[in-house]
């Protein structure tokens, strides 16, 4: 059986711990070999507020009260994400990542693009070397014209949307179906921060935001990705009438192993996408299924 090798590029800081660590945990359990990479080859660090919850309450700007957490305990990573991240911090490949510039498609069987929303994500999302690698994953096809498997979740889908195919000179997502962090979910988190929990840093939940002359949401994840697609209808959100619609779209319920009801994952050939950390167990398990079917197990 083939040993499947996956590369997970991550930012130097502010990545979402759940999207990275739970995916890694599930891939490891499947028997895969997993490498990590950062722009400079130094260990990456998760968004500290998603770990501790400190700074996510209305009094979080006050040094003496910062460690008192209420809403912050709810908004941070849940116990599954935190446990997975604790385990990940002992992993040698995570502690000794490769450089983006040293990676090539020939070295790996698949790539996972995780997300995060804090400002430290920007260099990762804008890295031309990483975008070129992602484009190569889509451009390199087998005898049946299938590219190697690619998975992207949340803001990670932005990297794919910004990656330009050398063959078509368009986004690698042009002509594909995808999902990502929806404007509904992003706006809800933004308003929560802006008007309640982190009002002194109103744009904490917005990686990019609009200038005065741009409409609200123009630089939201969903809107930017739609501009890269063949048509706005190729961006797939949960259709009304779908079973568990409110559970899937409420931004509160998260999936678990054995409970995929809150999750929304979209597959288009060998490309898999999801919206936020609440989808990650289902997302990672579906990628395992895709990989095992494509490569015949590990």
């Amino acid at each position: 059986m083939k040993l499947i090798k996956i590369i997970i590029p991550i930012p130097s800081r502010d990545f979402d711990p759940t999207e990275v660590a739970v995916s890694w945990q599930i891939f490891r359990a499947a028997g895969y070999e997993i490498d990590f990479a950062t722009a400079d080859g130094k260990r990456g660090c998760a968004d500290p507020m998603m770990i501790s919850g400190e700074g996510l309450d209305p009094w979080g700007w006050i040094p003496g009260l910062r460690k008192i957490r209420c809403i912050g305990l709810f908004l941070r990573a849940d116990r599954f994400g935190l446990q997975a991240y604790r385990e990940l911090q002992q992993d040698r490949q995570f502690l000794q990542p490769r450089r983006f510039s040293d990676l090539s498609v020939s070295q790996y069987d698949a790539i996972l693009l995780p997300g995060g929303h804090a400002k430290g994500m920007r260099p990762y999302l804008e890295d031309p070397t990483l975008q070129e690698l992602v484009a190569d994953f889509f451009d390199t096809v087998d005898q049946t014209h299938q590219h190697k498997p690619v998975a992207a979740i949340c803001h990670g889908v932005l990297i794919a949307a910004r990656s330009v195919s050398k063959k078509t000179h368009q986004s690698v997502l042009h002509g594909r179906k995808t999902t990502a962090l929806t404007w509904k979910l992003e706006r809800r988190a933004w308003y929560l921060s802006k008007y309640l929990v982190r009002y002194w840093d109103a744009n904490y939940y917005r990686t990019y935001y609009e200038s005065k002359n741009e409409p609200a949401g123009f630089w939201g994840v969903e809107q930017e990705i739609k501009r890269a697609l063949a048509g706005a209808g190729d961006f797939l959100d949960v259709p009304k009438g779908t079973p568990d619609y409110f559970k899937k779209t409420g931004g509160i319920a998260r999936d678990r192993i054995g409970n995929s009801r809150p999750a929304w994952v979209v597959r288009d050939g060998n490309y898999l996408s999801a919206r936020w950390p609440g989808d990650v167990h289902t997302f990672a398990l579906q990628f395992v299924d895709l990989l095992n079917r494509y490569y015949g197990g590990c």
Side-chain angles (χ1 to χ4, degrees):
M1 290 291 193
K2 177 180 176 59
L3 175 61
I4 295 173
K5 296 183 65 175
I6 302 176
I7 183 63
I8 305 180
I10 57 174
S12 296
R13 62 184 181 94
D14 283 347
F15 63 80
D16 183 87
T18 302
E19 293 171 3
V20 173
V22 170
S23 297
W24 165 82
Q25 190 179 58
I26 290 173
F27 296 161
R28 184 185 59 171
Y32 302 159
E33 183 177 318
I34 307 147
D35 281 348
F36 291 87
T38 58
D40 60 4
K42 296 179 181 178
R43 176 200 161 162
C45 295
D47 181 348
M49 281 192 279
M50 290 295 101
I51 299 295
S52 69
E54 295 178 14
L56 291 173
D57 286 281
W59 51 83
W61 61 277
I62 305 173
L65 299 179
R66 183 180 177 87
K67 290 187 177 296
I68 300 175
R69 298 162 300 170
C70 181
I71 299 175
L73 293 175
F74 173 75
L75 295 178
R76 71 175 185 176
D78 67 9
R79 62 189 178 92
F80 298 100
L82 293 174
Q83 177 58 39
Y85 189 62
R86 283 192 289 269
E87 293 177 13
L88 178 63
Q89 289 178 296
Q90 308 303 313
D91 181 73
R92 182 172 62 85
Q93 279 70 30
F94 174 73
L95 296 174
Q96 299 175 359
R98 302 187 65 192
R99 294 176 183 267
F100 293 164
S101 59
D102 293 333
L103 303 177
S104 69
V105 175
S106 63
Q107 298 166 333
Y108 295 98
D109 301 301
I111 187 170
L112 167 69
L113 303 170
H117 59 265
K119 302 304 180 288
M121 287 288 297
R122 287 183 178 179
Y124 166 76
L125 298 173
E126 298 166 6
D127 192 286
T129 302
L130 179 55
Q131 291 173 17
E132 184 175 357
L133 175 71
V134 173
D136 286 345
F137 263 91
F138 280 93
D139 283 345
T140 304
V141 298
D142 62 18
Q143 63 274 17
T144 65
H145 303 289
Q146 296 185 86
H147 62 77
K148 287 185 177 181
V150 176
I153 183 170
C154 193
H155 285 64
V157 182
L158 273 178
I159 303 171
R162 294 173 175 181
S163 299
V164 177
S165 166
K166 295 183 178 72
K167 296 180 177 180
T168 67
H169 306 292
Q170 294 176 313
S171 168
V172 296
L173 295 187
H174 192 271
R176 300 178 189 275
K177 307 291 186 184
T178 191
T179 193
L181 180 67
T182 64
W183 176 235
K184 182 178 180 180
L185 289 173
E186 186 174 3
R187 180 177 55 190
R188 185 175 296 154
W190 180 35
Y191 282 6
L192 180 66
S193 176
K194 187 176 182 178
Y195 298 114
L196 179 59
V197 298
R198 200 172 166 81
Y199 52 86
W200 67 93
D201 180 19
N203 289 319
Y204 165 65
Y205 278 105
R206 296 290 311 278
T207 313
Y208 299 94
Y209 36 89
E210 296 72 39
S211 64
K212 290 183 179 180
N213 297 323
E214 293 171 328
F218 184 80
W219 291 111
V221 173
E222 176 180 340
Q223 289 88 328
E224 181 178 346
I225 289 169
K226 281 182 174 178
R227 293 194 290 273
L229 303 178
D234 287 341
F235 186 97
L236 303 183
D237 197 359
V238 185
K240 290 186 177 179
T242 299
D244 300 303
Y245 174 80
F246 292 105
K247 190 179 292 289
K248 291 179 183 297
T249 61
I252 297 175
R254 300 185 180 215
D255 72 350
R256 303 282 186 268
I257 298 292
N259 179 19
S260 63
R261 291 170 60 193
W264 177 250
V265 179
V266 171
R267 179 178 174 181
D268 185 341
N270 278 353
Y271 168 61
L272 193 74
S273 57
R275 305 167 301 168
W276 74 301
D279 299 331
V280 71
H281 292 86
T282 305
F283 168 73
L285 286 169
Q286 287 194 19
F287 201 50
V288 167
D289 181 67
L290 188 162
L291 288 166
N292 287 346
R293 288 175 183 272
Y294 184 66
Y295 289 113
C298 62

